Amino acid sequence: MKVIETIDKIKTFNTELGYIKNNKYIENTKIILSMIPDYFFKIPASSTGKYHPSFSLGEGGLVRHTKVAVKIGYTLLQSKTTNNFTDNEKDLIIISLILHDSFKSGVIEEKYCRVDHPLIVTNFLKENKDKFTFSDQELNYICECINTHMGEFNTDYRGNVVLPLPQTKHQRFVHMCDLLSSKKFLNINFNGNEIIE
C-alpha cells in the first residue's frame, strides 16, 4: 500500500508568516497558502536547472527559492537605509514574495515554468477575493508586485511581451528580491526547508 504524503502548506511558511505584523494579513496568507497547488511544495525553482543556484534545485527547490527571496526582502525592510515603506506595505511585500511563484507551473502542473505564471497567481487571487478580507487596495498592491516580479524577463520564447515591467518602488523591490534569490553566486544552507543563519 502506497503512503500518501501530506503537505502542511502553512507550517512550511511559519517562519515567513512570522515576519508579518498585521494579524488580518497573516490569516489571509494562511488561507491562500492552503489553496495553492501541492506541486509548488515539491518542484525545483528551475525545471532546467539553468537559472537558479544549487539550493533551489531538486525536490522542494521552489520553496527554498521563495524562502530566500522573502529573507532578502525581510532583511532589507529592517534597514532604515534601504526602505521607506509603511508597516502595512512591508507586510504586503512579504506576502507578495511568499506567493510570487505559487503557480509557477500553471494551475495544473505542467512540465515547464509558465512565462505568464505571475498573471496566473493574480488571476487566482482576484477570482477568490471573496475568501479573503483584503481590501481591494491591499489585494491590488499584492497583485501589482506579483505581476511585475519577473522584471525585464517579461517575454515569451518568441520575444512577445507577456508581463508588465516594474514601475513603482514596491514593484521594483519585489523584483530585486526575486532576482537576487535566483543568482547562482548565492550559497545558502538549509536544514530541511529552514535557512541556517
Side-chain angles (χ1 to χ4, degrees):
M1 180 159 95
K2 185 177 179 182
V3 176
I4 299 173
E5 182 183 338
T6 58
I7 303 162
D8 191 333
K9 298 176 180 183
I10 296 166
K11 186 177 179 184
T12 300
F13 285 99
N14 267 348
T15 298
E16 294 71 24
L17 289 166
Y19 299 154
I20 301 168
K21 293 180 180 176
N22 184 314
N23 286 328
K24 178 182 95 167
Y25 293 173
I26 294 169
E27 293 309 311
N28 279 289
T29 307
K30 287 179 178 179
I31 293 167
I32 297 166
L33 283 170
S34 73
M35 298 170 69
I36 65 175
D38 289 353
Y39 76 75
F40 168 82
F41 297 85
K42 298 176 183 176
I43 66 171
S46 171
S47 53
T48 63
K50 288 195 279 186
Y51 303 111
H52 287 79
S54 59
F55 67 78
S56 61
L57 303 179
E59 184 165 341
L62 185 55
V63 166
R64 292 187 296 277
H65 158 77
T66 300
K67 285 175 164 279
V68 170
V70 174
K71 184 67 170 181
I72 289 168
Y74 178 71
T75 302
L76 293 171
L77 290 171
Q78 300 316 297
S79 167
K80 293 176 184 168
T81 308
T82 55
N83 91 80
N84 57 352
F85 298 100
T86 67
D87 284 346
N88 280 346
E89 287 174 331
K90 290 177 188 179
D91 284 352
L92 295 171
I93 286 170
I94 295 296
I95 293 165
S96 301
L97 287 166
I98 291 171
L99 301 176
H100 78 279
D101 278 343
S102 54
F103 286 82
K104 190 161 187 175
S105 293
V107 174
I108 297 171
E109 184 179 7
E110 298 175 25
K111 185 174 180 181
Y112 297 108
C113 166
R114 292 277 304 252
V115 175
D116 63 343
H117 70 273
L119 303 177
I120 296 171
V121 177
T122 59
N123 287 340
F124 167 81
L125 292 174
K126 289 176 180 177
E127 288 168 7
N128 289 283
K129 73 178 188 174
D130 61 318
K131 296 176 176 76
F132 321 131
T133 59
F134 288 121
S135 69
D136 287 345
Q137 183 180 8
E138 291 163 342
L139 191 61
N140 286 336
Y141 191 102
I142 293 168
C143 290
E144 287 175 9
C145 288
I146 292 173
N147 275 345
T148 58
H149 83 262
M150 293 293 289
E152 66 269 26
F153 307 103
N154 67 336
T155 60
D156 64 17
Y157 66 94
R158 294 188 187 112
N160 300 312
V161 174
V162 177
L163 302 168
L165 290 169
Q167 302 292 325
T168 64
K169 68 178 184 177
H170 56 276
Q171 291 170 331
R172 287 190 294 271
F173 187 93
V174 168
H175 166 61
M176 175 182 64
C177 296
D178 179 52
L179 179 67
L180 289 172
S181 69
S182 70
K183 291 302 174 188
K184 289 191 171 196
F185 61 74
L186 287 183
N187 182 21
I188 297 173
N189 296 310
F190 283 81
N191 180 7
N193 279 329
E194 293 301 318
I195 296 171
I196 298 173
E197 297 285 338

